[in-house]
Amino acid sequence: MKLVSAIIKPFKLDDVREAIAGIGIEGMTVTEVKGFGRQKGHTELYRGAEYQVDFLPKVKLEIATKAENLEHLLEVITNAAHTGKIGDGKIFVTDLEQVIRIRTGETDTEAL
């Protein structure tokens, strides 16, 4: 089992959600986050004063999946979140040792 964590632009969330649902992935966790990478933030004007915005709003998706579904899932997320501009995001993949569905007590792939 794998845990996929994807940091994407907020306006791409619906596109990614629809693409993931299209391949049969039934669940994900979404968190609003802030951060920066190569974008380095930007400056904004507010009431005549210019100020630096160091952390940009992003969305973090967390999806648990079977190892055999991983490559297809990564391709779908990459295609759906892609704009071709700096700040499109990153995907991180980690091993998932155990999953337990609290309601039923099912474990591992049955709990996904």
Side-chain angles (χ1 to χ4, degrees), residues 42-93:
H42 62 278
T43 57
E44 286 189 7
L45 208 58
Y46 180 71
R47 293 189 177 181
E50 189 174 291
Y51 64 99
Q52 181 71 24
V53 178
D54 293 325
F55 296 101
L56 301 171
K58 300 288 182 179
V59 174
K60 180 179 182 181
L61 312 176
E62 293 178 300
I63 305 159
T65 188
K66 297 177 185 174
E68 58 266 21
N69 297 339
L70 179 63
E71 291 305 318
H72 193 206
L73 176 60
L74 295 177
E75 181 182 333
V76 165
I77 293 171
T78 301
N79 290 338
H82 181 264
T83 66
K85 297 182 178 149
I86 196 166
D88 272 354
K90 293 227 176 11
I91 301 174
F92 306 97
V93 179

Side-chain angles (χ1 to χ4, degrees), residues 4-41:
V4 176
S5 299
I7 310 293
I8 64 171
K9 292 182 176 185
F11 69 88
K12 296 301 279 183
L13 176 60
D14 286 335
D15 294 341
V16 173
R17 183 182 49 80
E18 290 171 11
I20 289 172
I23 63 167
I25 301 292
E26 296 179 350
M28 70 175 168
T29 301
V30 178
T31 309
E32 292 180 3
V33 295
K34 291 184 179 192
F36 71 92
R38 290 186 178 159
Q39 267 182 300
K40 303 273 194 276

